[in-house]
Amino acid sequence: MLCPLILFLLLLLPLLGSDAEIVHSDTPLLVIWKNPYAPAATNEDSMGGAVAILWPDGRIIRTGSQKEVGREYIEGQIDKNQLKNFSDFLLSPKNLATADFDSVAADAPSETFIVDSASKKHQWTWGLPDKQDMLTEIEKQVWNFAIKNPHPLDAKDPRLEKFDPNKKG
């Protein structure tokens, strides 16, 4: 009888540790996607694609700069404290109370921000270069993340296309 109890405790202990609050999910907490000006899509400076994808457990894929969108990516992890502070800001009632919007002229460059909170999925699209203050602050914080153990990621990695807000299905 003692052996099954010990086995049960050994399986349970990792769940009770300090990482118990971390949620492992295939659904990102945040996706920032750059949509280029459609007629100029072949222009090198107007590539579209993922700017950043952040998961609730701190995994992140991000470009090194705006000019690298669609070309070069790094993958890594952000610190638990940084993730908590960012999540508190991102999922604040003020931000989540912001109505979803799509404020872009036809064929204009834009960025789409998708936040998947526990209660609702939010999507905001705003024309470039002007942005709504909330989105500017979200992106600023993402660019300031200190990424631990960064390593290059192929721009054709299927995880990047999987979260393209322009693809249906």
Side-chain angles (χ1 to χ4, degrees), residues 33-36 49 110 112 114 123 125 163-169:
W33 196 273
K34 182 178 178 186
N35 305 299
S110 64
T112 299
I114 302 170
Q123 183 166 325
T125 301
F163 302 110
D164 181 346
N166 303 304
K167 292 194 175 179
K168 305 292 183 217

Side-chain angles (χ1 to χ4, degrees), residues 31-53 63 65-73 108-112 128 154-157 160-161 163-167:
V31 174
I32 302 176
W33 196 273
K34 182 178 178 186
N35 305 299
Y37 175 63
T42 57
N43 180 337
E44 279 188 31
D45 291 333
S46 64
M47 287 191 72
V51 174
I53 303 172
T63 62
S65 74
Q66 282 287 3
K67 290 190 179 262
E68 294 172 355
V69 171
R71 288 188 203 84
E72 294 183 26
Y73 291 91
S110 64
E111 274 187 339
T112 299
L128 294 173
D154 188 335
K156 298 197 184 316
D157 188 292
L160 296 169
E161 291 299 315
F163 302 110
D164 181 346
N166 303 304
K167 292 194 175 179

